[in-house]
mmCIF file of all heavy atoms in Angstrom:
data_model
loop_
_atom_site.group_PDB
_atom_site.id
_atom_site.type_symbol
_atom_site.label_atom_id
_atom_site.label_comp_id
_atom_site.label_asym_id
_atom_site.label_seq_id
_atom_site.Cartn_x
_atom_site.Cartn_y
_atom_site.Cartn_z
ATOM 1 N N MET A 100 20.548 13.793 -9.531
ATOM 2 C CA MET A 100 19.573 13.364 -10.494
ATOM 3 C C MET A 100 19.087 14.600 -11.233
ATOM 4 O O MET A 100 18.881 15.650 -10.643
ATOM 5 C CB MET A 100 18.419 12.645 -9.792
ATOM 6 C CG MET A 100 17.378 12.191 -10.758
ATOM 7 S SD MET A 100 16.260 10.908 -10.176
ATOM 8 C CE MET A 100 17.357 9.589 -9.810
ATOM 9 N N GLU A 101 18.913 14.433 -12.495
ATOM 10 C CA GLU A 101 18.446 15.526 -13.338
ATOM 11 C C GLU A 101 16.997 15.257 -13.737
ATOM 12 O O GLU A 101 16.637 14.141 -14.088
ATOM 13 C CB GLU A 101 19.319 15.612 -14.588
ATOM 14 C CG GLU A 101 18.993 16.759 -15.487
ATOM 15 C CD GLU A 101 19.934 16.823 -16.681
ATOM 16 O OE1 GLU A 101 21.036 16.264 -16.618
ATOM 17 O OE2 GLU A 101 19.549 17.444 -17.673
ATOM 18 N N ARG A 102 16.163 16.270 -13.644
ATOM 19 C CA ARG A 102 14.743 16.155 -13.956
ATOM 20 C C ARG A 102 14.442 17.029 -15.159
ATOM 21 O O ARG A 102 14.738 18.224 -15.167
ATOM 22 C CB ARG A 102 13.921 16.584 -12.751
ATOM 23 C CG ARG A 102 12.439 16.504 -12.952
ATOM 24 C CD ARG A 102 11.733 16.865 -11.636
ATOM 25 N NE ARG A 102 10.315 16.681 -11.748
ATOM 26 C CZ ARG A 102 9.421 17.664 -11.702
ATOM 27 N NH1 ARG A 102 9.821 18.903 -11.527
ATOM 28 N NH2 ARG A 102 8.150 17.401 -11.808
ATOM 29 N N ILE A 103 13.837 16.410 -16.181
ATOM 30 C CA ILE A 103 13.461 17.146 -17.388
ATOM 31 C C ILE A 103 11.938 17.110 -17.497
ATOM 32 O O ILE A 103 11.337 16.036 -17.521
ATOM 33 C CB ILE A 103 14.086 16.516 -18.645
ATOM 34 C CG1 ILE A 103 15.616 16.461 -18.504
ATOM 35 C CG2 ILE A 103 13.672 17.284 -19.893
ATOM 36 C CD1 ILE A 103 16.293 15.616 -19.553
ATOM 37 N N VAL A 104 11.315 18.286 -17.534
ATOM 38 C CA VAL A 104 9.864 18.393 -17.634
ATOM 39 C C VAL A 104 9.510 18.883 -19.028
ATOM 40 O O VAL A 104 10.050 19.882 -19.501
ATOM 41 C CB VAL A 104 9.300 19.367 -16.573
ATOM 42 C CG1 VAL A 104 7.792 19.464 -16.689
ATOM 43 C CG2 VAL A 104 9.717 18.944 -15.185
ATOM 44 N N TYR A 105 8.599 18.176 -19.674
ATOM 45 C CA TYR A 105 8.140 18.566 -21.004
ATOM 46 C C TYR A 105 6.760 19.210 -20.869
ATOM 47 O O TYR A 105 5.900 18.686 -20.157
ATOM 48 C CB TYR A 105 8.066 17.349 -21.919
ATOM 49 C CG TYR A 105 9.416 16.700 -22.149
ATOM 50 C CD1 TYR A 105 9.856 15.652 -21.346
ATOM 51 C CD2 TYR A 105 10.245 17.151 -23.161
ATOM 52 C CE1 TYR A 105 11.094 15.066 -21.547
ATOM 53 C CE2 TYR A 105 11.497 16.569 -23.373
ATOM 54 C CZ TYR A 105 11.906 15.528 -22.567
ATOM 55 O OH TYR A 105 13.134 14.963 -22.767
ATOM 56 N N PRO A 106 6.543 20.341 -21.532
ATOM 57 C CA PRO A 106 5.243 21.029 -21.415
ATOM 58 C C PRO A 106 4.165 20.329 -22.243
ATOM 59 O O PRO A 106 3.800 20.764 -23.329
ATOM 60 C CB PRO A 106 5.544 22.437 -21.932
ATOM 61 C CG PRO A 106 6.667 22.241 -22.890
ATOM 62 C CD PRO A 106 7.475 21.075 -22.348
ATOM 63 N N GLU A 107 3.695 19.188 -21.740
ATOM 64 C CA GLU A 107 2.698 18.397 -22.450
ATOM 65 C C GLU A 107 1.545 18.070 -21.509
ATOM 66 O O GLU A 107 1.684 18.126 -20.303
ATOM 67 C CB GLU A 107 3.309 17.081 -22.942
ATOM 68 C CG GLU A 107 4.461 17.240 -23.890
ATOM 69 C CD GLU A 107 5.088 15.913 -24.255
ATOM 70 O OE1 GLU A 107 4.653 14.864 -23.740
ATOM 71 O OE2 GLU A 107 6.038 15.919 -25.052
ATOM 72 N N VAL A 108 0.421 17.721 -22.116
ATOM 73 C CA VAL A 108 -0.711 17.215 -21.353
ATOM 74 C C VAL A 108 -1.035 15.849 -21.931
ATOM 75 O O VAL A 108 -1.274 15.737 -23.133
ATOM 76 C CB VAL A 108 -1.929 18.158 -21.471
ATOM 77 C CG1 VAL A 108 -3.139 17.570 -20.782
ATOM 78 C CG2 VAL A 108 -1.588 19.534 -20.928
ATOM 79 N N PRO A 109 -1.004 14.793 -21.123
ATOM 80 C CA PRO A 109 -0.663 14.755 -19.704
ATOM 81 C C PRO A 109 0.826 15.040 -19.496
ATOM 82 O O PRO A 109 1.629 14.916 -20.423
ATOM 83 C CB PRO A 109 -1.015 13.331 -19.277
ATOM 84 C CG PRO A 109 -0.916 12.521 -20.516
ATOM 85 C CD PRO A 109 -1.293 13.452 -21.653
ATOM 86 N N PRO A 110 1.184 15.417 -18.263
ATOM 87 C CA PRO A 110 2.578 15.777 -17.990
ATOM 88 C C PRO A 110 3.547 14.645 -18.333
ATOM 89 O O PRO A 110 3.237 13.473 -18.152
ATOM 90 C CB PRO A 110 2.595 16.050 -16.488
ATOM 91 C CG PRO A 110 1.179 16.297 -16.124
ATOM 92 C CD PRO A 110 0.343 15.515 -17.089
ATOM 93 N N HIS A 111 4.678 15.025 -18.831
ATOM 94 C CA HIS A 111 5.724 14.066 -19.203
ATOM 95 C C HIS A 111 7.015 14.533 -18.540
ATOM 96 O O HIS A 111 7.491 15.631 -18.792
ATOM 97 C CB HIS A 111 5.865 14.024 -20.714
ATOM 98 C CG HIS A 111 6.982 13.167 -21.206
ATOM 99 N ND1 HIS A 111 7.439 13.232 -22.491
ATOM 100 C CD2 HIS A 111 7.736 12.222 -20.604
ATOM 101 C CE1 HIS A 111 8.435 12.376 -22.642
ATOM 102 N NE2 HIS A 111 8.628 11.763 -21.516
ATOM 103 N N VAL A 112 7.560 13.677 -17.666
ATOM 104 C CA VAL A 112 8.780 14.007 -16.943
ATOM 105 C C VAL A 112 9.752 12.850 -17.090
ATOM 106 O O VAL A 112 9.369 11.688 -17.017
ATOM 107 C CB VAL A 112 8.488 14.254 -15.438
ATOM 108 C CG1 VAL A 112 9.765 14.575 -14.688
ATOM 109 C CG2 VAL A 112 7.476 15.369 -15.269
ATOM 110 N N GLU A 113 11.011 13.157 -17.324
ATOM 111 C CA GLU A 113 12.051 12.139 -17.402
ATOM 112 C C GLU A 113 13.130 12.450 -16.375
ATOM 113 O O GLU A 113 13.387 13.615 -16.070
ATOM 114 C CB GLU A 113 12.680 12.100 -18.793
ATOM 115 C CG GLU A 113 11.736 11.633 -19.876
ATOM 116 C CD GLU A 113 12.396 11.589 -21.251
ATOM 117 O OE1 GLU A 113 13.597 11.894 -21.366
ATOM 118 O OE2 GLU A 113 11.685 11.264 -22.206
ATOM 119 N N TYR A 114 13.721 11.399 -15.847
ATOM 120 C CA TYR A 114 14.804 11.545 -14.881
ATOM 121 C C TYR A 114 16.023 10.817 -15.414
ATOM 122 O O TYR A 114 15.897 9.771 -16.059
ATOM 123 C CB TYR A 114 14.418 10.947 -13.526
ATOM 124 C CG TYR A 114 13.297 11.667 -12.845
ATOM 125 C CD1 TYR A 114 11.975 11.318 -13.068
ATOM 126 C CD2 TYR A 114 13.565 12.728 -11.986
ATOM 127 C CE1 TYR A 114 10.939 11.989 -12.437
ATOM 128 C CE2 TYR A 114 12.530 13.404 -11.353
ATOM 129 C CZ TYR A 114 11.218 13.022 -11.583
ATOM 130 O OH TYR A 114 10.204 13.694 -10.958
ATOM 131 N N GLN A 115 17.190 11.366 -15.149
ATOM 132 C CA GLN A 115 18.428 10.675 -15.492
ATOM 133 C C GLN A 115 19.497 11.058 -14.482
ATOM 134 O O GLN A 115 19.443 12.127 -13.871
ATOM 135 C CB GLN A 115 18.874 10.982 -16.909
ATOM 136 C CG GLN A 115 19.229 12.436 -17.161
ATOM 137 C CD GLN A 115 19.541 12.691 -18.625
ATOM 138 O OE1 GLN A 115 19.038 11.998 -19.491
ATOM 139 N NE2 GLN A 115 20.352 13.679 -18.892
ATOM 140 N N LEU A 116 20.451 10.148 -14.296
ATOM 141 C CA LEU A 116 21.536 10.426 -13.362
ATOM 142 C C LEU A 116 22.496 11.436 -13.960
ATOM 143 O O LEU A 116 22.794 11.399 -15.154
ATOM 144 C CB LEU A 116 22.294 9.146 -13.032
ATOM 145 C CG LEU A 116 21.568 8.152 -12.143
ATOM 146 C CD1 LEU A 116 22.376 6.865 -12.021
ATOM 147 C CD2 LEU A 116 21.321 8.741 -10.773
ATOM 148 N N THR A 117 22.969 12.314 -13.127
ATOM 149 C CA THR A 117 24.002 13.259 -13.542
ATOM 150 C C THR A 117 25.350 12.540 -13.510
ATOM 151 O O THR A 117 25.457 11.395 -13.046
ATOM 152 C CB THR A 117 24.044 14.460 -12.583
ATOM 153 O OG1 THR A 117 24.354 13.980 -11.275
ATOM 154 C CG2 THR A 117 22.723 15.205 -12.574
ATOM 155 N N ASP A 118 26.388 13.193 -13.987
ATOM 156 C CA ASP A 118 27.726 12.602 -13.926
ATOM 157 C C ASP A 118 28.116 12.296 -12.486
ATOM 158 O O ASP A 118 28.714 11.267 -12.203
ATOM 159 C CB ASP A 118 28.765 13.539 -14.555
ATOM 160 C CG ASP A 118 28.627 13.619 -16.069
ATOM 161 O OD1 ASP A 118 28.037 12.701 -16.672
ATOM 162 O OD2 ASP A 118 29.114 14.619 -16.642
ATOM 163 N N PHE A 119 27.741 13.179 -11.569
ATOM 164 C CA PHE A 119 28.033 12.948 -10.159
ATOM 165 C C PHE A 119 27.284 11.714 -9.658
ATOM 166 O O PHE A 119 27.846 10.869 -8.961
ATOM 167 C CB PHE A 119 27.644 14.176 -9.333
ATOM 168 C CG PHE A 119 27.922 14.026 -7.868
ATOM 169 C CD1 PHE A 119 29.217 14.079 -7.383
ATOM 170 C CD2 PHE A 119 26.889 13.830 -6.973
ATOM 171 C CE1 PHE A 119 29.483 13.936 -6.023
ATOM 172 C CE2 PHE A 119 27.128 13.691 -5.613
ATOM 173 C CZ PHE A 119 28.446 13.748 -5.144
ATOM 174 N N GLY A 120 26.022 11.582 -10.021
ATOM 175 C CA GLY A 120 25.231 10.423 -9.612
ATOM 176 C C GLY A 120 25.760 9.129 -10.190
ATOM 177 O O GLY A 120 25.717 8.077 -9.533
ATOM 178 N N LEU A 121 26.267 9.170 -11.411
ATOM 179 C CA LEU A 121 26.813 7.965 -12.040
ATOM 180 C C LEU A 121 28.026 7.427 -11.280
ATOM 181 O O LEU A 121 28.307 6.232 -11.325
ATOM 182 C CB LEU A 121 27.198 8.252 -13.493
ATOM 183 C CG LEU A 121 26.027 8.410 -14.452
ATOM 184 C CD1 LEU A 121 26.517 8.902 -15.809
ATOM 185 C CD2 LEU A 121 25.271 7.102 -14.598
ATOM 186 N N ARG A 122 28.710 8.291 -10.541
ATOM 187 C CA ARG A 122 29.866 7.849 -9.758
ATOM 188 C C ARG A 122 29.463 6.892 -8.640
ATOM 189 O O ARG A 122 30.283 6.150 -8.127
ATOM 190 C CB ARG A 122 30.605 9.055 -9.180
ATOM 191 C CG ARG A 122 31.258 9.922 -10.245
ATOM 192 C CD ARG A 122 31.837 11.191 -9.706
ATOM 193 N NE ARG A 122 32.831 10.917 -8.678
ATOM 194 C CZ ARG A 122 33.327 11.826 -7.860
ATOM 195 N NH1 ARG A 122 32.906 13.076 -7.947
ATOM 196 N NH2 ARG A 122 34.231 11.514 -6.968
ATOM 197 N N PHE A 123 28.198 6.905 -8.247
ATOM 198 C CA PHE A 123 27.716 6.025 -7.187
ATOM 199 C C PHE A 123 27.318 4.639 -7.696
ATOM 200 O O PHE A 123 27.095 3.732 -6.889
ATOM 201 C CB PHE A 123 26.514 6.659 -6.476
ATOM 202 C CG PHE A 123 26.890 7.822 -5.623
ATOM 203 C CD1 PHE A 123 26.808 9.108 -6.115
ATOM 204 C CD2 PHE A 123 27.351 7.638 -4.329
ATOM 205 C CE1 PHE A 123 27.164 10.193 -5.332
ATOM 206 C CE2 PHE A 123 27.710 8.715 -3.543
ATOM 207 C CZ PHE A 123 27.616 9.993 -4.043
ATOM 208 N N MET A 124 27.195 4.465 -8.990
ATOM 209 C CA MET A 124 26.735 3.188 -9.526
ATOM 210 C C MET A 124 27.608 2.003 -9.111
ATOM 211 O O MET A 124 27.067 0.965 -8.723
ATOM 212 C CB MET A 124 26.595 3.264 -11.055
ATOM 213 C CG MET A 124 25.436 4.144 -11.497
ATOM 214 S SD MET A 124 23.842 3.726 -10.762
ATOM 215 C CE MET A 124 23.606 2.089 -11.405
ATOM 216 N N PRO A 125 28.940 2.091 -9.155
ATOM 217 C CA PRO A 125 29.741 0.946 -8.707
ATOM 218 C C PRO A 125 29.490 0.599 -7.232
ATOM 219 O O PRO A 125 29.461 -0.579 -6.860
ATOM 220 C CB PRO A 125 31.187 1.393 -8.925
ATOM 221 C CG PRO A 125 31.119 2.466 -9.953
ATOM 222 C CD PRO A 125 29.792 3.144 -9.726
ATOM 223 N N ILE A 126 29.265 1.607 -6.407
ATOM 224 C CA ILE A 126 28.984 1.367 -4.992
ATOM 225 C C ILE A 126 27.638 0.665 -4.852
ATOM 226 O O ILE A 126 27.505 -0.322 -4.114
ATOM 227 C CB ILE A 126 28.991 2.695 -4.207
ATOM 228 C CG1 ILE A 126 30.381 3.326 -4.257
ATOM 229 C CG2 ILE A 126 28.520 2.490 -2.769
ATOM 230 C CD1 ILE A 126 30.433 4.760 -3.780
ATOM 231 N N LEU A 127 26.637 1.140 -5.563
ATOM 232 C CA LEU A 127 25.310 0.532 -5.499
ATOM 233 C C LEU A 127 25.335 -0.888 -6.054
ATOM 234 O O LEU A 127 24.665 -1.778 -5.521
ATOM 235 C CB LEU A 127 24.297 1.389 -6.246
ATOM 236 C CG LEU A 127 24.054 2.777 -5.657
ATOM 237 C CD1 LEU A 127 23.139 3.588 -6.561
ATOM 238 C CD2 LEU A 127 23.490 2.679 -4.255
ATOM 239 N N ASP A 128 26.115 -1.123 -7.107
ATOM 240 C CA ASP A 128 26.252 -2.475 -7.648
ATOM 241 C C ASP A 128 26.886 -3.407 -6.622
ATOM 242 O O ASP A 128 26.464 -4.567 -6.473
ATOM 243 C CB ASP A 128 27.083 -2.472 -8.936
ATOM 244 C CG ASP A 128 26.341 -1.829 -10.110
ATOM 245 O OD1 ASP A 128 25.092 -1.760 -10.065
ATOM 246 O OD2 ASP A 128 27.029 -1.406 -11.056
ATOM 247 N N SER A 129 27.882 -2.922 -5.884
ATOM 248 C CA SER A 129 28.522 -3.731 -4.845
ATOM 249 C C SER A 129 27.548 -4.071 -3.723
ATOM 250 O O SER A 129 27.532 -5.186 -3.213
ATOM 251 C CB SER A 129 29.735 -3.006 -4.260
ATOM 252 O OG SER A 129 30.732 -2.851 -5.231
ATOM 253 N N ILE A 130 26.722 -3.111 -3.349
ATOM 254 C CA ILE A 130 25.716 -3.351 -2.316
ATOM 255 C C ILE A 130 24.708 -4.394 -2.803
ATOM 256 O O ILE A 130 24.304 -5.294 -2.055
ATOM 257 C CB ILE A 130 25.021 -2.037 -1.911
ATOM 258 C CG1 ILE A 130 26.017 -1.131 -1.197
ATOM 259 C CG2 ILE A 130 23.793 -2.313 -1.033
ATOM 260 C CD1 ILE A 130 25.502 0.273 -0.946
ATOM 261 N N GLU A 131 24.312 -4.308 -4.053
ATOM 262 C CA GLU A 131 23.382 -5.278 -4.619
ATOM 263 C C GLU A 131 23.998 -6.672 -4.630
ATOM 264 O O GLU A 131 23.339 -7.663 -4.283
ATOM 265 C CB GLU A 131 22.970 -4.871 -6.037
ATOM 266 C CG GLU A 131 21.976 -5.826 -6.666
ATOM 267 C CD GLU A 131 21.600 -5.412 -8.079
ATOM 268 O OE1 GLU A 131 22.409 -4.754 -8.762
ATOM 269 O OE2 GLU A 131 20.478 -5.752 -8.492
ATOM 270 N N ASP A 132 25.270 -6.772 -5.013
ATOM 271 C CA ASP A 132 25.966 -8.071 -4.999
ATOM 272 C C ASP A 132 26.006 -8.650 -3.597
ATOM 273 O O ASP A 132 25.777 -9.849 -3.395
ATOM 274 C CB ASP A 132 27.387 -7.929 -5.545
ATOM 275 C CG ASP A 132 27.422 -7.596 -7.026
ATOM 276 O OD1 ASP A 132 26.393 -7.786 -7.720
ATOM 277 O OD2 ASP A 132 28.492 -7.132 -7.487
ATOM 278 N N LEU A 133 26.280 -7.810 -2.614
ATOM 279 C CA LEU A 133 26.311 -8.257 -1.228
ATOM 280 C C LEU A 133 24.941 -8.760 -0.794
ATOM 281 O O LEU A 133 24.819 -9.791 -0.133
ATOM 282 C CB LEU A 133 26.780 -7.122 -0.317
ATOM 283 C CG LEU A 133 26.775 -7.410 1.174
ATOM 284 C CD1 LEU A 133 27.709 -8.576 1.504
ATOM 285 C CD2 LEU A 133 27.171 -6.171 1.954
ATOM 286 N N GLN A 134 23.895 -8.056 -1.185
ATOM 287 C CA GLN A 134 22.530 -8.476 -0.834
ATOM 288 C C GLN A 134 22.228 -9.852 -1.421
ATOM 289 O O GLN A 134 21.679 -10.719 -0.734
ATOM 290 C CB GLN A 134 21.508 -7.449 -1.339
ATOM 291 C CG GLN A 134 20.077 -7.826 -1.022
ATOM 292 C CD GLN A 134 19.798 -7.854 0.468
ATOM 293 O OE1 GLN A 134 20.331 -7.041 1.207
ATOM 294 N NE2 GLN A 134 18.972 -8.778 0.906
ATOM 295 N N HIS A 135 22.605 -10.086 -2.681
ATOM 296 C CA HIS A 135 22.382 -11.392 -3.301
ATOM 297 C C HIS A 135 23.167 -12.484 -2.569
ATOM 298 O O HIS A 135 22.659 -13.589 -2.365
ATOM 299 C CB HIS A 135 22.769 -11.365 -4.781
ATOM 300 C CG HIS A 135 21.846 -10.546 -5.622
ATOM 301 N ND1 HIS A 135 20.485 -10.743 -5.688
ATOM 302 C CD2 HIS A 135 22.099 -9.499 -6.441
ATOM 303 C CE1 HIS A 135 19.940 -9.873 -6.510
ATOM 304 N NE2 HIS A 135 20.901 -9.096 -6.978
ATOM 305 N N GLU A 136 24.382 -12.176 -2.179
ATOM 306 C CA GLU A 136 25.199 -13.133 -1.444
ATOM 307 C C GLU A 136 24.568 -13.465 -0.096
ATOM 308 O O GLU A 136 24.495 -14.640 0.296
ATOM 309 C CB GLU A 136 26.599 -12.554 -1.241
ATOM 310 C CG GLU A 136 27.559 -13.482 -0.550
ATOM 311 C CD GLU A 136 28.930 -12.847 -0.362
ATOM 312 O OE1 GLU A 136 29.336 -12.031 -1.211
ATOM 313 O OE2 GLU A 136 29.573 -13.182 0.644
ATOM 314 N N LEU A 137 24.099 -12.453 0.616
ATOM 315 C CA LEU A 137 23.459 -12.678 1.912
ATOM 316 C C LEU A 137 22.183 -13.506 1.763
ATOM 317 O O LEU A 137 21.913 -14.402 2.570
ATOM 318 C CB LEU A 137 23.146 -11.347 2.597
ATOM 319 C CG LEU A 137 24.357 -10.524 3.042
ATOM 320 C CD1 LEU A 137 23.907 -9.149 3.513
ATOM 321 C CD2 LEU A 137 25.139 -11.249 4.114
ATOM 322 N N GLU A 138 21.400 -13.230 0.729
ATOM 323 C CA GLU A 138 20.174 -13.991 0.496
ATOM 324 C C GLU A 138 20.493 -15.449 0.169
ATOM 325 O O GLU A 138 19.818 -16.352 0.645
ATOM 326 C CB GLU A 138 19.359 -13.362 -0.626
ATOM 327 C CG GLU A 138 18.722 -12.048 -0.238
ATOM 328 C CD GLU A 138 18.065 -11.331 -1.401
ATOM 329 O OE1 GLU A 138 18.177 -11.787 -2.561
ATOM 330 O OE2 GLU A 138 17.442 -10.276 -1.148
ATOM 331 N N ALA A 139 21.526 -15.664 -0.637
ATOM 332 C CA ALA A 139 21.910 -17.033 -0.985
ATOM 333 C C ALA A 139 22.378 -17.796 0.252
ATOM 334 O O ALA A 139 22.020 -18.964 0.447
ATOM 335 C CB ALA A 139 23.005 -17.024 -2.049
ATOM 336 N N ASN A 140 23.144 -17.143 1.110
ATOM 337 C CA ASN A 140 23.606 -17.786 2.345
ATOM 338 C C ASN A 140 22.434 -18.087 3.268
ATOM 339 O O ASN A 140 22.373 -19.158 3.870
ATOM 340 C CB ASN A 140 24.627 -16.909 3.075
ATOM 341 C CG ASN A 140 25.957 -16.872 2.363
ATOM 342 O OD1 ASN A 140 26.289 -17.759 1.582
ATOM 343 N ND2 ASN A 140 26.728 -15.840 2.618
ATOM 344 N N ARG A 141 21.509 -17.160 3.379
ATOM 345 C CA ARG A 141 20.330 -17.370 4.222
ATOM 346 C C ARG A 141 19.505 -18.528 3.702
ATOM 347 O O ARG A 141 19.080 -19.396 4.455
ATOM 348 C CB ARG A 141 19.476 -16.102 4.259
ATOM 349 C CG ARG A 141 18.254 -16.235 5.172
ATOM 350 C CD ARG A 141 17.209 -15.186 4.905
ATOM 351 N NE ARG A 141 16.691 -15.391 3.559
ATOM 352 C CZ ARG A 141 16.304 -14.416 2.753
ATOM 353 N NH1 ARG A 141 16.396 -13.172 3.119
ATOM 354 N NH2 ARG A 141 15.850 -14.676 1.546
ATOM 355 N N ASP A 142 19.308 -18.580 2.388
ATOM 356 C CA ASP A 142 18.509 -19.651 1.796
ATOM 357 C C ASP A 142 19.169 -21.012 1.997
ATOM 358 O O ASP A 142 18.496 -21.993 2.271
ATOM 359 C CB ASP A 142 18.269 -19.389 0.310
ATOM 360 C CG ASP A 142 17.369 -18.177 0.073
ATOM 361 O OD1 ASP A 142 16.694 -17.735 1.030
ATOM 362 O OD2 ASP A 142 17.357 -17.667 -1.061
ATOM 363 N N SER A 143 20.491 -21.067 1.865
ATOM 364 C CA SER A 143 21.176 -22.349 2.060
ATOM 365 C C SER A 143 21.122 -22.772 3.516
ATOM 366 O O SER A 143 21.042 -23.960 3.823
ATOM 367 C CB SER A 143 22.624 -22.289 1.572
ATOM 368 O OG SER A 143 23.400 -21.442 2.391
ATOM 369 N N GLN A 144 21.131 -21.831 4.446
ATOM 370 C CA GLN A 144 21.016 -22.168 5.866
ATOM 371 C C GLN A 144 19.625 -22.698 6.188
ATOM 372 O O GLN A 144 19.476 -23.616 6.982
ATOM 373 C CB GLN A 144 21.336 -20.951 6.736
ATOM 374 C CG GLN A 144 22.802 -20.585 6.725
ATOM 375 C CD GLN A 144 23.086 -19.298 7.498
ATOM 376 O OE1 GLN A 144 22.170 -18.631 7.960
ATOM 377 N NE2 GLN A 144 24.353 -18.967 7.625
ATOM 378 N N VAL A 145 18.603 -22.139 5.554
ATOM 379 C CA VAL A 145 17.238 -22.619 5.768
ATOM 380 C C VAL A 145 17.112 -24.044 5.246
ATOM 381 O O VAL A 145 16.557 -24.901 5.923
ATOM 382 C CB VAL A 145 16.212 -21.680 5.079
ATOM 383 C CG1 VAL A 145 14.833 -22.297 5.053
ATOM 384 C CG2 VAL A 145 16.185 -20.339 5.781
ATOM 385 N N VAL A 146 17.651 -24.310 4.071
ATOM 386 C CA VAL A 146 17.595 -25.649 3.508
ATOM 387 C C VAL A 146 18.342 -26.623 4.396
ATOM 388 O O VAL A 146 17.852 -27.718 4.698
ATOM 389 C CB VAL A 146 18.163 -25.663 2.065
ATOM 390 C CG1 VAL A 146 18.352 -27.086 1.566
ATOM 391 C CG2 VAL A 146 17.258 -24.873 1.129
ATOM 392 N N ASN A 147 19.538 -26.249 4.855
ATOM 393 C CA ASN A 147 20.316 -27.131 5.724
ATOM 394 C C ASN A 147 19.614 -27.399 7.049
ATOM 395 O O ASN A 147 19.652 -28.512 7.550
ATOM 396 C CB ASN A 147 21.709 -26.543 5.976
ATOM 397 C CG ASN A 147 22.586 -26.579 4.741
ATOM 398 O OD1 ASN A 147 22.355 -27.382 3.839
ATOM 399 N ND2 ASN A 147 23.572 -25.706 4.686
ATOM 400 N N SER A 148 18.955 -26.424 7.613
ATOM 401 C CA SER A 148 18.279 -26.625 8.898
ATOM 402 C C SER A 148 17.030 -27.490 8.707
ATOM 403 O O SER A 148 16.678 -28.256 9.611
ATOM 404 C CB SER A 148 17.911 -25.285 9.532
ATOM 405 O OG SER A 148 16.912 -24.638 8.784
ATOM 406 N N GLN A 149 16.400 -27.431 7.558
ATOM 407 C CA GLN A 149 15.215 -28.258 7.310
ATOM 408 C C GLN A 149 15.598 -29.712 7.075
ATOM 409 O O GLN A 149 14.879 -30.606 7.479
ATOM 410 C CB GLN A 149 14.434 -27.726 6.112
ATOM 411 C CG GLN A 149 13.742 -26.415 6.397
ATOM 412 C CD GLN A 149 13.062 -25.839 5.167
ATOM 413 O OE1 GLN A 149 13.279 -26.284 4.050
ATOM 414 N NE2 GLN A 149 12.243 -24.823 5.375
ATOM 415 N N THR A 150 16.745 -29.952 6.460
ATOM 416 C CA THR A 150 17.168 -31.329 6.213
ATOM 417 C C THR A 150 17.741 -31.972 7.466
ATOM 418 O O THR A 150 17.765 -33.187 7.588
ATOM 419 C CB THR A 150 18.203 -31.406 5.071
ATOM 420 O OG1 THR A 150 19.317 -30.565 5.404
ATOM 421 C CG2 THR A 150 17.597 -30.954 3.768
ATOM 422 N N ALA A 151 18.180 -31.157 8.432
ATOM 423 C CA ALA A 151 18.756 -31.691 9.672
ATOM 424 C C ALA A 151 17.679 -32.130 10.640
ATOM 425 O O ALA A 151 17.951 -32.850 11.586
ATOM 426 C CB ALA A 151 19.650 -30.625 10.327
ATOM 427 N N VAL A 152 16.450 -31.698 10.425
ATOM 428 C CA VAL A 152 15.360 -32.025 11.362
ATOM 429 C C VAL A 152 14.857 -33.406 11.173
ATOM 430 O O VAL A 152 14.902 -34.117 10.329
ATOM 431 C CB VAL A 152 14.197 -31.011 11.221
ATOM 432 C CG1 VAL A 152 13.006 -31.408 12.045
ATOM 433 C CG2 VAL A 152 14.684 -29.641 11.565
#
C-alpha cells in the first residue's frame, strides 16, 4: 500500500494499492465470493430448518 501525505491543515492523507498489492485483488475477490456463497447456504439452511418444524 502506498501512502501519500499532503502538507495541509487539517491533515490530508490518501492511500492506494501498489502494483504488488493489486496482484492480490483476484484472490480477495475469490474469498469474497466464497463468503457470499457460504452466507447464502447458511441462510437457506436456516429457512429449511424453520419450515421443517
Side-chain angles (χ1 to χ4, degrees):
M100 180 161 300
E101 184 178 339
R102 180 176 185 246
I103 303 168
V104 180
Y105 297 93
E107 300 176 358
V108 175
H111 175 194
V112 179
E113 293 181 2
Y114 294 89
Q115 64 185 28
L116 288 174
T117 61
D118 289 339
F119 180 73
L121 287 171
R122 293 173 58 193
F123 288 95
M124 290 307 297
I126 297 168
L127 296 174
D128 289 339
S129 295
I130 292 171
E131 181 181 27
D132 293 343
L133 176 61
Q134 179 65 36
H135 290 304
E136 183 181 328
L137 293 172
E138 289 172 355
N140 288 338
R141 182 197 65 214
D142 293 344
S143 68
Q144 289 175 355
V145 169
V146 169
N147 290 337
S148 68
Q149 289 175 348
T150 57
V152 173

